């Protein structure tokens, strides 16, 4: 909206842009209210949904066997069955696509 001009009507702009503007206005209002209410509030005093979560420690995660692929029969030397081949195809517009092909 340009100051000094009448605000646009619903017929002057697409419905999508109206929804985006409405959403951005509501979001700005809510963010402002939350900032005013919770600025400088200790973490322990925040509502439960706003408190930081305790995420699992990665050191506690189970051991991952990164070499399990070495035991797959279709990865062994001398495998006579079909194999999947990856192909990178460059299109005329310069974009690329990765495809897989069984041969």
């Amino acid at each position: 909206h340009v100051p000094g001009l009448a605000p646009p009507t619903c017929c002057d702009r697409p419905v999508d842009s109206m929804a985006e503007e409405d959403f951005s206005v509501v979001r700005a209002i809510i963010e402002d209210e939350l900032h005013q209410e919770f600025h400088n509030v200790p973490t322990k005093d925040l509502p439960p949904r706003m408190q930081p979560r305790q995420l699992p420690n990665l050191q506690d995660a189970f051991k991952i066997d990164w070499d399990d692929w070495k035991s797959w029969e279709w990865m062994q030397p001398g495998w006579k069955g079909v194999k999947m081949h990856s192909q990178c195809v460059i299109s005329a517009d310069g974009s690329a696509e990765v495809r897989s092909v069984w041969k």
Side-chain angles (χ1 to χ4, degrees):
H1 173 67
V2 178
L5 295 177
T9 64
C10 67
C11 300
D12 293 340
R13 55 191 171 154
V15 174
D16 287 343
S17 69
M18 288 172 44
E20 289 175 12
E21 288 176 18
D22 291 344
F23 177 79
S24 64
V25 169
V26 170
R27 181 178 181 155
I29 292 170
I30 291 173
E31 284 178 347
D32 185 52
E33 289 175 2
L34 287 172
H35 180 75
Q36 290 177 18
E37 185 176 349
F38 295 108
H39 184 66
N40 288 330
V41 172
T43 304
K44 65 180 180 55
D45 296 335
L46 291 172
R49 186 172 178 199
M50 295 176 69
Q51 290 182 357
R53 295 182 219 140
Q54 294 298 324
L55 299 175
N57 186 347
L58 291 179
Q59 271 65 17
D60 297 337
F62 63 92
K63 169 111 172 67
I64 297 173
D65 181 13
W66 294 106
D67 294 326
D68 64 340
W69 62 271
K70 293 177 181 177
S71 64
W72 301 341
E73 74 178 282
W74 62 90
M75 296 292 289
Q76 303 306 314
W79 170 254
K80 300 293 184 207
V82 295
K83 297 180 182 177
M84 183 184 291
H85 299 266
S86 296
Q87 297 176 335
C88 182
V89 179
I90 308 297
S91 303
D93 64 355
S95 63
E97 177 183 345
V98 176
R99 299 178 184 168
S100 58
V101 179
W102 289 98
K103 290 185 181 183

